[in-house]
Amino acid sequence: RGLTGARTRLGTSRARLGRRARAMSIRGVAQLRALRLVYCDVTGTSRGIKEFVLSGGWDEFKARALVHGDSTEATTEIRRGGDPHVRATYANGHEKAVGLKNLSANAVETHVRWLASEKGKPGSKPMKHRHFTKKPSVQGRWTPFTFGGGRAYVDEEED
């Protein structure tokens, strides 16, 4: 299926993300402080990230997407033998790292754009336990036939 308007793996649609990454801000203050691209120049797992950097995609991204140039630092780092990843540091001190192992250059650019357009707030906590009652209802469990005398319950006010 085509990528225009399609939902991607992380749940954000291409149409909403737009062609140009927008720097996320809170009350006019850009939240991204540093973006560091770490890869190995020897291993094959960094093939896509090397292609992204050497083809000029990284420089183009820095020029176009990081509009707050003074407050945002964007660097690359070669670390031999390590897996490729991108690490973002935000104004509130929160850091987020995303692994880029065996990804294509286009996928690397997409992940970098997503990190640049985030606010840096940690995600919400998942619900630990659902509440189950210790004393079930005396009337029994509700069904569509509970109040209808054999007929399915229909609210008369909806007519």
Side-chain angles (χ1 to χ4, degrees):
R1 69 185 182 184
L3 291 177
T4 307
R7 307 255 333 145
T8 59
R9 192 179 85 193
L10 296 178
T12 306
S13 68
R14 286 262 177 163
R16 189 175 138 219
L17 192 63
R19 181 70 188 133
R20 189 181 163 117
R22 292 171 184 85
M24 190 56 68
S25 64
I26 297 176
R27 294 183 201 94
V29 178
Q31 296 301 297
L32 184 66
R33 291 290 178 246
L35 197 60
R36 194 171 77 211
L37 207 58
V38 181
Y39 65 99
C40 175
D41 60 345
V42 179
T43 59
T45 59
S46 299
R47 187 175 303 125
I49 199 167
K50 283 189 293 189
E51 180 184 335
F52 176 64
V53 171
L54 296 176
S55 68
W58 176 246
D59 296 327
E60 180 183 330
F61 170 77
K62 288 192 301 186
R64 191 165 18 126
L66 303 178
V67 292
H68 305 284
D70 296 339
S71 64
T72 304
E73 175 186 341
T75 58
T76 59
E77 180 181 334
I78 297 176
R79 185 180 298 167
R80 286 202 167 179
D83 287 335
H85 63 276
V86 60
R87 183 173 299 272
T89 306
Y90 297 95
N92 60 1
H94 183 69
E95 279 195 6
K96 185 170 183 180
V98 176
L100 302 174
K101 190 174 179 180
N102 294 324
L103 294 179
S104 67
N106 290 335
V108 169
E109 181 182 9
T110 302
H111 283 289
V112 170
R113 284 182 188 276
W114 281 337
L115 282 176
S117 65
E118 285 188 8
K119 290 183 181 179
K121 294 183 179 179
S124 62
K125 295 180 183 177
M127 186 170 34
K128 290 185 179 180
H129 301 289
R130 287 195 56 165
H131 175 74
F132 293 103
T133 182
K134 293 178 182 162
K135 295 181 181 180
S137 171
V138 177
Q139 296 175 342
R141 189 174 177 156
W142 185 89
T143 67
F145 303 103
T146 300
F147 301 113
R151 299 185 324 266
Y153 177 73
V154 178
D155 191 10
E156 286 82 24
E157 293 178 12
E158 291 181 8
D159 293 335

